[in-house]
Amino acid sequence: MPADQEPTAASDAEPQQDPGEASRPGLSFAYVAGVTPGKWIRRWAERMPDFPLHAFMSDAGAQLSVLADGSAELSFVRLPIEREGLNVIPLYEEQPVVVAPKGHEISVFEEVDLADLAEENFLDVEEMGGPEMALQVVASGAGLVILPMSVARHFNVKDTVARRLTGAPSTQIALAWPSGTDNPVIEEFIGIVRGRTAQSSRQPSAQQEAPKKAPKPDRRGSGAKKPSVPQRYAPNPDKGRGKGSRKKGKR
């Protein structure tokens, strides 16, 4: 596989948790293969250390059903999806790649245009049973597939090679959750995903009013302040200079 890093998604891998953990107290979310939520999990732990966060990977066919059955309160999905009854925030686009068996002629290029592969046999990923199984078929030499770079890197099937693909539509990752949800904890997580700082006025945790400080005691005493007296004459510039300090001459 090429060492190219996906330009928009985080590159660190996150340990997968069991979907059953979503029933525990706290906030739970699911994510499809290729999404690496490590940076958001770390920021949550820094800001909300007393509120557990549970994450697990879902396959593409279950990216919405986890919301419907309550397994997760939010889901990182790959568009397009049916949006009825959902709030959806698009996050970033994914770089497409073409994956071929090892030794294929695309190996000598860093980037390939889709128009140059018109004579190739492309496999349908869904018909193959998903990306992992499709990559196994590619490794056998039966054809090529087009996948998001993040997905090809995630499964990293032996005896395949992937190259950046131009001229092909990109895919997009989004965050989805049920419409009508009014939960400050979910709003906190959405703010973290969208890059808001802990001090942002839009973060629920930052909207909690800080306790007002007690007024400082008046140390000037209780005596009445003397009224100021207007100065009737301009100050004498010669005052304090001593005898003989005034110049002789007419006044």
Side-chain angles (χ1 to χ4, degrees):
M1 298 294 295
D4 301 313
Q5 183 177 356
E6 187 179 6
T8 50
S11 59
D12 51 331
E14 235 2 88
Q16 183 175 349
Q17 299 184 23
D18 193 297
E21 294 181 352
S23 60
R24 299 184 306 177
L27 183 67
S28 60
F29 71 88
Y31 58 95
V32 292
V35 174
T36 49
K39 60 182 179 181
W40 303 315
I41 293 175
R42 288 192 297 272
R43 289 173 187 168
W44 179 272
E46 293 169 358
R47 301 185 196 179
M48 307 285 286
D50 299 325
F51 204 93
L53 185 65
H54 313 302
F56 64 93
M57 185 182 295
S58 64
D59 58 44
Q63 62 178 357
L64 295 183
S65 63
V66 293
L67 298 175
D69 64 20
S71 300
E73 291 158 280
L74 306 104
S75 181
F76 289 93
V77 299
R78 184 167 283 111
L79 301 179
I81 61 170
E82 174 56 56
R83 300 193 181 201
E84 185 177 357
L86 295 174
N87 294 312
V88 180
I89 299 176
L91 298 176
Y92 58 86
E93 291 189 350
E94 299 176 294
Q95 168 67 46
V97 296
V98 56
V99 187
K102 191 174 182 179
H104 191 278
E105 60 183 7
I106 70 167
S107 304
V108 299
F109 302 101
E110 292 184 0
E111 191 174 84
V112 183
D113 191 275
L114 181 60
D116 296 331
L117 303 174
E119 302 300 322
E120 295 288 345
N121 176 41
F122 282 94
L123 305 174
D124 187 293
V125 175
E126 295 305 317
E127 290 182 0
M128 294 293 105
E132 186 173 15
M133 184 59 69
L135 289 172
Q136 296 289 351
V137 177
V138 169
S140 71
L144 283 62
V145 296
I146 298 174
L147 290 172
M149 177 185 285
S150 59
V151 175
R153 295 181 65 187
H154 173 79
F155 291 109
N156 194 24
V157 173
K158 188 179 179 182
D159 295 328
T160 62
V161 60
R163 290 295 181 263
R164 289 177 178 266
L165 184 64
T166 60
S170 61
T171 50
Q172 194 170 26
I173 293 296
L175 181 62
W177 69 100
S179 300
T181 303
D182 185 13
N183 187 334
V185 177
I186 290 179
E187 288 297 325
E188 187 77 23
F189 184 78
I190 293 169
I192 288 176
V193 172
R194 303 195 77 170
R196 296 176 193 153
T197 65
Q199 292 74 35
S200 172
S201 60
R202 301 184 66 181
Q203 287 295 92
S205 59
Q207 294 173 5
Q208 298 175 1
E209 186 177 357
K212 296 182 179 180
K213 295 182 180 179
K216 294 182 179 180
D218 189 352
R219 299 180 179 178
R220 295 175 296 178
S222 57
K225 185 177 179 181
K226 294 181 179 180
S228 58
V229 179
Q231 192 172 4
R232 297 177 61 190
Y233 304 101
N236 186 349
D238 295 329
K239 188 176 182 181
R241 294 183 181 179
K243 291 182 177 182
S245 61
R246 294 185 181 179
K247 295 179 180 179
K248 294 180 179 181
K250 294 181 180 181
R251 290 180 176 268

